[in-house]
Amino acid sequence: MNETKIVLLTIDNMSVYDDILSLARDKGYQYVDDILPYYISSVGSHILNLVNNGSTIDNLLVDVPNRTIVSRFGYPEDTRLHILLVAPVGYSKTTFTKLFIRPNYGILSGIFPVERARMITEAGFIGSVVGKDFQYGSAYRASCGFIGADEFHSIISSTDNQHSATLLDQLLGVLDDGEAYKDMLGGRLTYRSGATMWSATQPSRISVGSGLDRRMLIIGIFPDEEDEVKLKKAYDDSFGRPDDTYIIDDIRNKIRDILEGFKFQSVEYTEKYVEFRNMLDLTHAEFTIADRLSLGYTIMRHYDDLDYILRVDIDDDLEGLLYKMSQDRLLILDDPIKEVILTHMGDKVWTRTRLLGNLVKKGISREDASKVLSLLVASGIVKATKIKRSHGRPTITYQII
């Protein structure tokens, strides 16, 4: 194993947005510029929501100013940015969540309450009544913080169970306006949660029907062979890295300063921003997600550059984030397996055996991969060639046309 060169990061007068990006790069994380900005922006959107709706959130554990900054139709708007990351097995689906909410080491540890969940039942998410006592779920315990759900598919699968038949409705309510209520024999459980959810799933397990897609920012990682090489190197380079606790403490202090001293009194979208957003392939309902992303980005990237007006303007980085969001959304809601296959194939010629074997390693079953490959061939996107051999069965190769 090659000796790792250690470079210690120092925090200067950069924004907290740039601080977090630099920390992740120094740790050797992959997809930092493509994926991490969405999580940083989600933190900014979450802070804004606590200020905007804090007086109505139950179990509020953080000390924040409270005033209406963003409203729509005369009501304070919910500005939380929930994230669903779609990626193959082993491609950083939980890496970024852990960076923020890992106990003791996460950036948000000690600032916001956090919940980690792999399997959620309705009782575990909303709560239940045991005897005469109310037992609150994760949506309440993290009502001013974050819920990290490692596998979104497991949550959706729980809705098929009789004991969690209404979990989907409860999930929709909490992600939308925070309202949680449940009628039981022992009484009615009701509260308002301000929790932001970060979740992930594999391309072959994506399921965002019944309105969940309108409540979440959906982004994807579609790796090629070069990405695999980079991930292997990052794995080797991760050993022996120095303690960066002091850096994380500095970042936490900056987030606390924004949270406790939130200075903005109103929001303004520039004409340039609105013009660019309207050019994207988004429905009017998806504008909400774009605006929440842009609000959070502006808070975390430009907090010190602005006065008391939260002025959302377009820059090169935000432009890239919005464009990727709109394109990933189309690809994933259409057919994420197709995009994984095409990205993995690149400009190479693949034998059927090797291609299917690689896709299985990415969490796509041979059956699903074969089915999508057949559709790609039938639609003229991929060319299949049968090569006869002197012995044995013919070999089939695939290449993108």
Side-chain angles (χ1 to χ4, degrees), residues 210-400:
S210 304
L212 282 172
D213 58 304
R214 297 194 303 273
R215 291 162 171 82
M216 306 190 81
L217 182 147
I218 304 173
I219 47 175
I221 294 175
F222 307 105
D224 55 22
E225 282 199 303
E226 184 179 343
D227 287 337
E228 179 63 31
V229 174
K230 291 179 181 178
L231 284 167
K232 288 178 179 178
K233 184 179 185 305
Y235 174 79
D236 288 338
D237 291 347
S238 65
F239 292 100
R241 289 195 171 274
D243 184 359
D244 51 19
T245 303
Y246 75 99
I247 299 172
I248 293 177
D249 284 340
D250 285 341
I251 292 174
R252 286 172 182 159
N253 288 333
K254 285 189 176 183
I255 293 175
R256 285 193 185 96
D257 288 344
I258 294 175
L259 180 67
E260 296 172 359
F262 200 81
K263 64 184 180 182
F264 299 119
Q265 304 289 332
S266 61
V267 169
E268 175 184 297
Y269 297 98
T270 67
E271 291 184 9
K272 185 179 176 182
Y273 167 78
V274 173
E275 180 180 356
F276 179 80
R277 183 202 61 191
N278 291 351
M279 289 172 55
L280 298 172
D281 195 356
L282 298 172
T283 67
H284 73 281
E286 292 167 334
F287 280 1
T288 299
I289 299 174
D291 285 349
R292 291 176 182 180
L293 167 62
S294 302
L295 286 166
Y297 170 87
T298 303
I299 291 170
M300 301 299 280
R301 188 73 181 273
H302 299 297
Y303 186 84
D304 292 331
D305 302 330
L306 300 173
D307 51 23
Y308 294 101
I309 298 176
L310 180 53
R311 186 174 292 102
V312 178
D313 198 4
I314 199 74
D315 59 28
D316 290 343
D317 289 335
L318 180 57
E319 184 175 311
L321 293 175
L322 289 167
Y323 182 76
K324 175 178 170 58
M325 179 206 83
S326 65
Q327 294 304 300
D328 281 9
R329 195 172 186 84
L330 290 173
L331 293 172
I332 292 169
L333 294 180
D334 174 30
D335 189 345
I337 295 178
K338 178 176 72 175
E339 186 62 23
V340 171
I341 292 175
L342 293 175
T343 305
H344 183 75
M345 289 180 66
D347 57 2
K348 291 187 175 183
V349 178
W350 294 83
T351 64
R352 179 179 177 84
T353 300
R354 187 179 176 216
L355 180 57
L356 291 181
N358 282 10
L359 293 173
V360 167
K361 291 180 181 180
K362 287 177 162 43
I364 301 173
S365 69
R366 292 181 70 88
E367 181 182 0
D368 287 341
S370 297
K371 187 184 301 182
V372 175
L373 266 175
S374 297
L375 292 173
L376 289 171
V377 171
S379 61
I381 298 174
V382 170
K383 178 183 179 181
T385 304
K386 185 179 290 187
I387 302 175
K388 293 183 179 180
R389 299 188 295 180
S390 57
H391 301 286
R393 299 171 61 183
T395 297
I396 300 176
T397 63
Y398 295 98
Q399 183 177 22
I400 298 175

Side-chain angles (χ1 to χ4, degrees), residues 17-90:
Y17 178 98
D18 293 306
D19 287 343
I20 297 173
L21 290 179
S22 295
L23 173 67
R25 292 191 192 105
D26 189 64
K27 284 178 174 290
Y29 288 178
Q30 299 300 298
Y31 309 111
V32 170
D33 295 315
D34 292 336
I35 302 298
L36 186 54
Y38 294 103
Y39 288 85
I40 303 173
S41 300
S42 179
V43 175
S45 299
H46 183 83
I47 292 173
L48 176 58
N49 190 63
L50 289 179
V51 175
N52 211 47
N53 291 282
S55 63
T56 64
I57 297 175
D58 293 286
N59 193 34
L60 189 64
L61 302 178
V62 293
D63 184 20
V64 295
N66 179 239
R67 56 182 173 271
T68 299
I69 299 171
V70 188
S71 63
R72 197 170 295 278
F73 303 115
Y75 300 101
E77 185 171 4
D78 192 304
T79 64
R80 292 172 296 161
L81 184 67
H82 310 291
I83 295 176
L84 177 61
L85 174 61
V86 179
V89 175

